Amino acid sequence: MTSPAMPLQFRNTQTPSKVIHLRNLPWECSEEELVELCKHFGKVINTKLNVGANRNQAFVEFADLNQAISMVSYYASSSEPAQIRGRTVYLQYSNRQEIVNSKSSGDLASNVLLVSIEGVEAGDVSIDV
């Protein structure tokens, strides 16, 4: 049983999901450190890291629901908390079933128009962009 002064590392209030929400991450936490913590439970297929002032959280998506359940179950029953850089990381199932990374307009692929014209002599066509 946990003491009232010690917050729970795991909250079993969400329906299981392939996506795990991790809180209390170090500011300098990298995606590699996140994957390192999770990879022992299964294949990590996506991450979303949001660290910095008052954020310090991330989402990790496993390839399979049972892999996420394995990680959450392990830390829920372990006397050793999940840690990154010596800092206890709190985890729970996300209310989402997958991570959707929104891209900024600079990351979006440009629209491309491919036009093939046959039977045209050189100099007959001009293209203004």
Side-chain angles (χ1 to χ4, degrees), residues 45-56:
I45 60 171
N46 202 354
T47 62
K48 187 168 189 172
L49 190 61
N50 188 11
V51 294
N54 299 320
R55 294 181 292 208
N56 302 355

Side-chain angles (χ1 to χ4, degrees), residues 30-76:
S30 68
E31 184 175 355
E32 292 77 21
E33 290 171 306
L34 207 52
V35 171
E36 183 66 30
L37 175 69
C38 301
K39 73 179 184 180
H40 306 289
F41 302 97
K43 182 177 181 184
V44 174
I45 60 171
N46 202 354
T47 62
K48 187 168 189 172
L49 190 61
N50 188 11
V51 294
N54 299 320
R55 294 181 292 208
N56 302 355
Q57 61 182 329
F59 295 90
V60 174
E61 181 179 351
F62 284 96
D64 181 75
L65 177 62
N66 290 326
Q67 296 167 349
I69 291 171
S70 175
M71 181 176 182
V72 170
S73 297
Y74 175 82
Y75 285 114

